[in-house]
Amino acid sequence: MRPTWPWILLTMALATGHAYGDCPSPGQWWQADGAVGAPTLLAQAARQQVVLLGEQHDVEDHHRWQLHTLAGLHALREDMVVGLEMLPRSAQPVLDRWVAGELTETELLAESRWDDAWGVDDELYLPILHFARLQAIPLVALNITPELRQRLVQEGFDRVPADQRYGIPTPLPASSVYQQRLTEVFEQHGMGQGDPAMLARFTQAQLTWDTAMAHGLAGAVKEGALAVGLMGLGHVTYGHGVEHQLEGMGIRHTLSLLPWDQAECRLPDPALADAVFVLPPALTHEPTN
């Protein structure tokens, strides 16, 4: 569901890039070796089992980039499924009816309980949702409710019947680097310094979140589709979140893609994602004619 704490370390990672001899230009894809053409990058992505498209939820250009990337991928892989962090699994029947053309926009938002489930401006996401309906691309609700996530953390996966947790498996433990990141975020936000039990619950909640989304994407892969997941940046960076849990489910071919807000001719750590797309500088005012 909607994040309850900011990814401060992610912000630091995005701001602390590496200088290159050639400044990247808006509209370019960049990988570790430098600029790569869109046809090459999209062809690489289309050969994967899963593609993860990270976002900062309230940045409009991130969603425009996602839409354009989805269109490019669909031109190469018609057997594509789009997974959404934004809605819990209980909203799946509503998404199915939307793609089938049975609901209006108003009905989609009301019946999925968009405002309660996510709360981020629906106008940012509607172009993507319309694209999926126009192209008859299945949409998959990847998330679980905060209540279920908390129950899994408090009671443990084995104590919650499989049918009540949608068959979601027990998460893999966090890598040492991911655990360090989560610990720093936990401590920076005064969530209970010096309380190991609270830190453990916090970590397990994040791992549960990652695993729920990975499980939803893995289900689409088993049907033979290219599963494209739309989710917050923090679940994608460095491969520690959803990608790590996908590997535990036998999904080995994942590509992580992020939008990059260019600043001072710098790019992020090449390990941040498999590729980044360079966005134009954000406008501080509406353009005039």
Side-chain angles (χ1 to χ4, degrees):
M1 307 298 288
R2 189 179 181 186
T4 56
W5 52 276
W7 282 87
I8 293 298
L9 293 183
L10 171 63
T11 303
M12 293 167 57
L14 292 176
T16 309
H18 294 269
Y20 284 78
D22 297 321
C23 292
S25 299
Q28 287 184 324
W29 285 98
W30 276 74
Q31 292 185 301
D33 296 331
V36 58
T40 300
L41 189 285
L42 291 172
Q44 178 187 2
R47 293 192 295 269
Q48 308 303 312
Q49 294 173 294
V50 173
V51 175
L52 302 178
L53 302 182
E55 65 177 62
Q56 184 174 323
H57 304 309
D58 59 352
V59 177
E60 189 169 14
D61 270 351
H62 287 197
H63 300 293
R64 290 170 174 154
W65 162 75
Q66 287 175 327
L67 176 58
H68 298 167
T69 303
L70 288 170
L73 286 173
H74 189 247
L76 300 173
R77 286 285 300 270
E78 291 188 351
D79 58 333
M80 189 172 84
V81 170
V82 177
L84 304 173
E85 176 191 10
M86 300 81 217
L87 292 173
R89 282 164 165 76
S90 57
Q92 188 59 54
V94 181
L95 290 178
D96 293 342
R97 292 174 61 205
W98 165 258
V99 173
E102 299 173 4
L103 298 177
T104 65
E105 259 185 31
T106 300
E107 290 168 335
L108 166 68
L109 297 173
E111 295 187 27
S112 67
R113 302 184 62 196
W114 179 274
D115 287 339
D116 293 333
W118 192 237
V120 180
D121 186 357
D122 56 77
E123 293 291 336
L124 297 172
Y125 294 88
L126 281 169
I128 292 173
L129 298 175
H130 276 288
F131 171 74
R133 185 172 71 165
L134 285 170
Q135 299 293 336
I137 299 171
L139 293 170
V140 177
L142 298 178
N143 222 323
I144 55 177
T145 63
E147 293 77 17
L148 176 56
R149 189 160 62 242
Q150 186 163 350
R151 184 182 174 195
L152 291 170
V153 170
Q154 292 179 340
E155 299 180 25
F157 275 71
D158 293 340
R159 293 175 179 258
V160 178
D163 61 334
Q164 295 181 24
R165 66 173 193 264
Y166 302 97
I168 297 168
T170 302
L172 292 179
S175 68
S176 59
V177 177
Y178 196 31
Q179 182 62 68
Q180 180 180 353
R181 287 180 62 211
L182 294 176
T183 300
E184 291 177 5
V185 170
F186 177 81
E187 292 175 348
Q188 286 183 19
H189 287 80
M191 298 179 183
Q193 291 95 326
D195 187 342
M198 186 174 287
L199 172 60
R201 289 194 296 272
F202 173 77
T203 299
Q204 193 63 24
Q206 184 63 27
L207 295 176
T208 300
W209 198 344
D210 292 332
T211 300
M213 291 194 286
H215 178 260
L217 293 168
V221 170
K222 290 177 182 177
E223 299 296 323
L226 169 65
V228 184
L230 310 186
M231 61 192 62
L233 295 160
H235 297 287
V236 180
T237 55
Y238 297 105
H240 298 320
V242 170
E243 184 173 347
H244 176 60
Q245 299 299 334
L246 281 167
E247 290 174 356
M249 299 172 194
I251 307 298
R252 306 280 187 232
H253 302 289
T254 299
L255 200 74
S256 59
L257 306 177
L258 296 177
W260 176 248
D261 298 295
Q262 184 184 9
E264 299 181 359
C265 188
R266 299 182 75 82
L267 282 176
D269 180 345
L272 188 66
D274 292 308
V276 300
F277 181 81
V278 184
L279 296 172
L283 292 174
T284 57
H285 61 275
E286 289 298 320
T288 57
N289 294 329

